[in-house]
Amino acid sequence: MIVRALTELGVDTIFGYPGGAVLPIYDELFKQNKIRHILVRHEQGATHAAEGYARTTGKPGVVLVTSGPGATNAVTGLTDAMLDSIPLICLTGQVARALIGNDAFQEADTVGITRPCTKHSYLVKETAKLPKIIYEAFWVAENGRPGPVVIDLPKDVQVEKAEYIRPNEAEHRTYHPQTVGEDAAIKVAIERLRKAKRPILYTGGGVINAGPEASKSLYDLAKKTNAPVTNTLMGLGAYPASDKQFLGMLGMHGTWEANHAMHDCDVMVCVGARFDDRVTGNIEQFSPGSFKIHIDIDLSSINKNVHVDLPIVGDAGVILKQLLAEWDAQNGSKTQPDLTPWWNQIERWRDRKCLSYKDQDDVIMPQKSLERLYELTKHLDPVVSTEVGQHQMWAAQFYGFDKPNRWLTSGGLGTMGYGFPAAVGAQIADPDRLVICIAGDASIQMNIQELSTAVQHNANVKIFIMNNEYMGMVRQWQDLNYDGRYSHSYSDSLPDFVKLAEAYGCTGLRVSHPDELDDTIRKMVETPGPVVVDCCVAKLENCFPMFAAGAKHTEIILSSDEIEPKDDSVIAMV
Amino acid sequence: MNETGTIEHHTISLIVDNEAGVLARVIGLFSGRGYNIESLTVAEVDSESQRSRITIVTSGTRMIIEQIKAQLDRIVSVSKVADLTIEGPHVSRDIALIKVAGEGEKRVEALRLADVFRARVVDSTSCSFVFELTGQAGKIDAFIELMKDLGLVEVARTGAVALSRGATGL
Ligand SMILES: Cc1ncc(C[n+]2csc(CCOP(=O)(O)OP(=O)(O)O)c2C)c(N)n1
Ligand SMILES: [Mg+2]
C-alpha cells in the first residue's frame, strides 16, 4: 500500500536504511522496479541526500528509516530541512501498535521527538487510512512554506491488509495557505518602488522554493525597476551572479556594497527572506530609513525580527508576477526617478573591492582555490554543495550562480555533515551533471561514510576539501573574540584523505602548490567516479568581509589588519 | 525583536482538527518559543467534523501576540485562529470547584458569601463544602481570596472558555 501510494505520487527515489520495523516495506521495494532505493550508510546521510535531491529537482525528497535509532539519527536532517524550508517526507518504522508505550525494543517516541522539527507528523493507526495520509503528507510538505513531514508507521500497520482506496483529492482538509498577494498591497508596493530613489531587492530561499519561474520574474522585476539585487545565503542563484545589478550576498560575510546598499536604501523589497540575525546584525541599527516591503508565504516570518511597513503574504512567484503587472499598469519605468546617483554610490562601494585578498606564490590561498574552481567549472553549470565553515562562506562569495537550484548549503541550522550527502542526493537526481561538494577538513568527516554510498550508486560527486587543518570558522571566532586562544579547534590527527578515498574505491588527489591547482581541478572534473581532492590551503586565513554578531551591519571588517584588541563580552555562537 | 511595549493579555480561540498530537503541537509552540500560557482549555465541540476548540489566555507585547497568532496559524491542524480580545466584545467564563472546610461561624460565613457570589454547593459534609462557581476569572479570584480565611482546602479551575458576542461565530 505504501509503495503503491508513493509510486502514484511520482516518487522515483527513496533514500533509506533498513531495520526490523521497516522490513515489510523493504520487502515490497524488493518486489518492484519503479522506485529506486538508495542505500545510505547513516540515516542522517539519507535526510541530507533527500534535501539535496529536493533542492535540485523541486520535488520532495523521500526518506525511509527504521524505528528507534533509525528515526533519531534522522532528526538532524529533519531540523535542517525545517529551518531551510525543504520539502521532505520521512517514513519511519515504529513498533507494533500494541507495543507502543511499553519501551519495546527499538521504540522511540518518534512523533514526539520530531514534533518541533517537522512541519507536520502522522502516527498511522489504521491501515485503511494509509493512502490518504501519504497523499496528504506530500501536499503539506510542498504547499505553503515547504518543510519536512514525518509518517510514523507501526510494523503491524505495514503488514495488515486493507482495501486500497485511491485518494482523489490530495489536499489537506483545513490547511490552505494564502498564495496570491492582496491587490491593495501590491498597488502600494509599486507606488513606493516607483518613487524610490534608492531601491533594493533583497531576496532569499523563498524565491528558490517558488520554482524557477519565480527567479525569472525576479530578473524581470530587477530589469524593469533597475534596482540592485542582493541575495541571502539561501537565495543564491535566484538572480544571476554575473549580472551587473547583482551586489553579491549580504549579511555577516556579505559584500561591502550589499550591506551598505541595504543600510542606505529608501525602499527595500524583501522577497522570501526572513531578516535573519546573520543578515540584519544589530536590529536597532538595521537599515533605519527605509520603507520595508516583506513578501513571504509564512505570516509568522513577518514582523518576527524587524518591523516592516508593508507585509504581503503569498507565494513569491505569484506576487512577483503581480508586481510586474502592476509596475506596467502604473507606468513605472516612465515615472520613476533617475537612479544614476544611487548607482554611482554603489559603484563607489564596489570600488572598495571587499573580496580582495593577498595572494601568495608558495601556498594556495583558500579564496584563490575557489576562484580557480569557479573559472574552470562554471561552463559546466554544476551543482555545488558546501559543508559549514569558512569554506562555505568563501564558496558563497566566490562561486557565482546564474541559475537557481544549483546551490546547496545548510543556512538555517548550519549543519556540518550536510554538504557531502546533499551532493550525493543531487547527483542521484541528475547523474550526468557535475556535482561538486566544497568541504572543510572537519566537516567532511561528519558524514564521510557516504563515500561508500556514492561508490555503490555511481554518484560521481567531486569533493573539494579546502584543508586548512583547522575548524577554521571556530578558529576565526577565537581570533576575533577570544584573543586567539585556539581551544580545541585544531583538526588533529587528520586522516590522509587521498588514502581514505582510495580505501573506499574512489580517486584521491592532493594539491598544495598554487602552480598545480588548475591541473588538479581539471583532473578532478575529468576523472570518472567519485573524486576526493585534498586541497591544502593557507592554514590561518580568515574569512572577510565580516561584521561581528550583533554589530551594526555596516561595521564591516575587511581584513585581519583591521582587527582591534577584542572584548571578551562579545560572545556569540559559531 | 526588542521587548518594548506594554504587556497585554489576550484571549485566543482556535478551531483545530481533533487528531492525536495537535494539543502537543500547540503547547510545544508556547514552551519552545518561550511564550506564556495563562490558561488553556480544550474540548471537542463538533463530533461530526471532529473539531475541537482551544481557548488560550496569553500575555506579551503586541508584537509577541501577533507572532503567537501567526505561529499558531502555521500549525497544519489548526484551521482557525481568532483573537477575541481585539476582534470585539466577547464573553469569557471559568468554572471553579472550591473546597472549604470549617465549623461554626466560619462555615456560616462561607455559605453566606457563596450565596452572594452565586456559587452552588455541589458537595457537603458536616465540616466541609465544595462550591461550584462560574464567572470571569476576576470574580473567581475574589471568591477564592475570601475563602482563604474561612478554611480553603483546595481549588480546581478550568481556565477560560470564551466566545465572541453577537450572532456570528468563528
Ligand atoms: C554539527 C555541527 N557541529 C559543530 C558546528 C560548529 N562549527 C561551525 S563551523 C565549524 C568548523 C568547520 O571546520 P571545517 O569543516 O574544517 O571548515 P573551515 O571553517 O575550516 O573551512 C564548527 C565546528 C556546526 N556548525 N555543526
Ligand atoms: Mg578546516
Side-chain angles (χ1 to χ4, degrees), chain A residues 134 163 187 281 306 338 379 397 426 493 506 525 547 563:
Chain A
I134 293 172
E163 193 196 345
K187 276 210 169 62
V306 167
D338 180 14
H379 63 287
Q397 292 170 344
S493 314
C506 314
V525 175
F547 63 72
I563 299 169

Side-chain angles (χ1 to χ4, degrees), chain A residues 512-571:
Chain A
S512 42
H513 198 279
D515 291 348
E516 292 157 10
L517 182 59
D518 282 14
D519 280 347
T520 311
I521 292 171
R522 283 195 201 96
K523 196 158 172 208
M524 170 187 92
V525 175
E526 285 157 13
T527 309
V531 179
V532 178
V533 175
D534 184 13
C535 179
C536 306
V537 297
K539 292 182 187 159
L540 298 177
E541 183 67 2
N542 284 340
C543 180
F544 297 105
M546 174 182 189
F547 63 72
K552 182 181 177 184
H553 62 141
T554 50
E555 282 168 7
I556 300 168
I557 309 167
L558 284 176
S559 77
S560 318
D561 309 341
E562 293 174 28
I563 299 169
E564 288 155 29
K566 39 251 135 192
D567 172 359
D568 267 351
S569 65
V570 193
I571 293 174

Side-chain angles (χ1 to χ4, degrees), chain B residues 24-162:
Chain B
R25 273 200 182 262
V26 170
I27 293 172
L29 176 78
F30 279 79
S31 63
R33 294 184 186 261
Y35 305 140
N36 298 319
I37 300 183
E38 296 186 350
S39 82
L40 182 146
T41 60
V42 55
E44 188 171 79
V45 290
D46 181 347
S47 58
E48 214 165 278
S49 68
Q50 298 195 332
R51 299 291 174 87
S52 292
R53 190 170 188 123
I54 299 179
T55 309
I56 304 172
V57 182
T58 182
S59 61
T61 60
R62 189 40 91 78
M63 196 131 172
I64 297 278
I65 303 275
E66 291 305 319
Q67 242 322 281
I68 291 174
K69 287 186 282 183
Q71 293 285 357
L72 286 168
D73 203 30
R74 189 157 96 105
I75 297 175
V76 172
S77 326
V78 170
S79 63
K80 278 177 195 155
V81 180
D83 185 342
L84 297 179
T85 304
I86 56 172
E87 282 174 18
H90 65 280
V91 285
S92 167
R93 291 290 179 270
D94 245 82
I95 299 177
L97 296 174
I98 300 149
K99 186 179 286 182
V100 179
E103 277 155 32
E105 274 296 292
K106 289 196 170 173
R107 188 171 160 85
V108 176
E109 179 62 2
L111 210 52
R112 194 189 66 80
L113 284 169
D115 199 40
V116 174
F117 276 80
R118 293 181 212 287
R120 294 199 304 136
V121 176
V122 289
D123 176 66
S124 67
T125 68
S126 59
C127 61
S128 72
F129 291 116
V130 174
F131 296 117
E132 175 200 308
L133 180 56
T134 304
Q136 288 192 0
K139 170 179 160 182
I140 294 175
D141 292 343
F143 184 69
I144 292 170
E145 202 46 46
L146 288 170
M147 289 303 118
K148 280 186 181 161
D149 289 339
L150 302 174
L152 181 69
V153 177
E154 60 180 351
V155 179
R157 292 174 74 153
T158 55
V161 289

Side-chain angles (χ1 to χ4, degrees), chain A residues 178-193 221 268-273 275 291-303 308-320 322-323 326:
Chain A
Q178 184 177 341
T179 53
V180 182
E182 275 176 39
D183 284 335
I186 300 283
K187 276 210 169 62
V188 178
I190 291 300
E191 270 162 28
R192 288 288 184 154
L193 191 56
L221 187 68
M268 176 191 298
V269 186
C270 165
V271 192
F275 296 94
F291 182 85
K292 299 180 184 71
I293 302 168
H294 188 179
I295 296 162
D296 207 295
I297 189 100
D298 179 6
L299 178 63
S300 74
S301 284
I302 288 170
N303 286 332
V308 297
D309 302 286
L310 180 66
I312 312 179
V313 175
D315 178 85
V318 175
I319 292 177
L320 282 167
Q322 290 178 278
L323 290 174
E326 184 61 25

Side-chain angles (χ1 to χ4, degrees), chain A residues 25 114 260 300 328 333 397 418 453 469 493:
Chain A
I25 304 177
T114 60
H260 274 276
S300 74
D328 289 343
S333 303
Q397 292 170 344
Y418 163 89
T453 309
E469 291 179 27
S493 314

